[in-house]
Amino acid sequence: APSSAPSGSSLPAYFIKGSIIQLADGELKHVEDLKTEDFIQSAEISSELKIDSSTVERIDDSHTPNFAIVQFSVGEHRAQVSVEVQVEYPFFVFGQGWSSCCPDRTTQLLELPCTKLSVGDVCISLTLKNLR
Amino acid sequence: NVEPRSVPVFPWHSLVPFLAPTQSD
């Protein structure tokens, strides 16, 4: 069964500092050492996945404690997508690194160095390549 | 005796959210 972060967060274990991540070319890196280029190059190798730019348009409090609703404008068509996530959930911002709605909580729970996610930040997200 | 424990390795795409709008074409 997939393990999760220590008490206080139900985020997956791969966001905990020190977790080992395998890039598409087989290289292993710690989650806290990942760079924008690692995601871009991995997506280029992938036959199924492509990276989209997702710009943060709004961040609102959720009715659920410790959750936030983040609205993104996704891809070249600027499709509006909202996700409800724990405030400590880290998104990877292009050229910047891990960012969350509550970076203090992310650092406390996951030990993952993190900055504050803000409106206008451009996050890395994935979509499926068109398979024809 | 201590049994060796395997260290989990996670694929890179686990870390990236799927924000896939409905594709239209």
Side-chain angles (χ1 to χ4, degrees), chain A residues 53-69:
Chain A
S53 301
S54 294
T55 304
V56 178
E57 300 231 315
R58 288 184 61 144
I59 301 174
D60 294 308
D61 291 334
S62 167
H63 293 299
T64 310
N66 294 324
F67 277 71
I69 298 172

Side-chain angles (χ1 to χ4, degrees), chain A residues 14 20-22 34 39 42 49 54 74 79 124-126 128 130 132, chain B residues 7-21 23 25:
Chain A
Y14 41 71
I20 299 173
I21 309 302
Q22 185 168 40
L34 292 172
F39 292 102
S42 288
L49 303 172
S54 294
V74 180
I124 291 177
S125 65
L126 287 174
L128 288 174
N130 282 327
R132 295 177 189 275
Chain B
V7 177
V9 176
F10 302 98
W12 68 276
H13 51 77
S14 303
L15 302 162
V16 189
F18 260 85
L19 297 179
Q23 300 217 349
D25 70 345

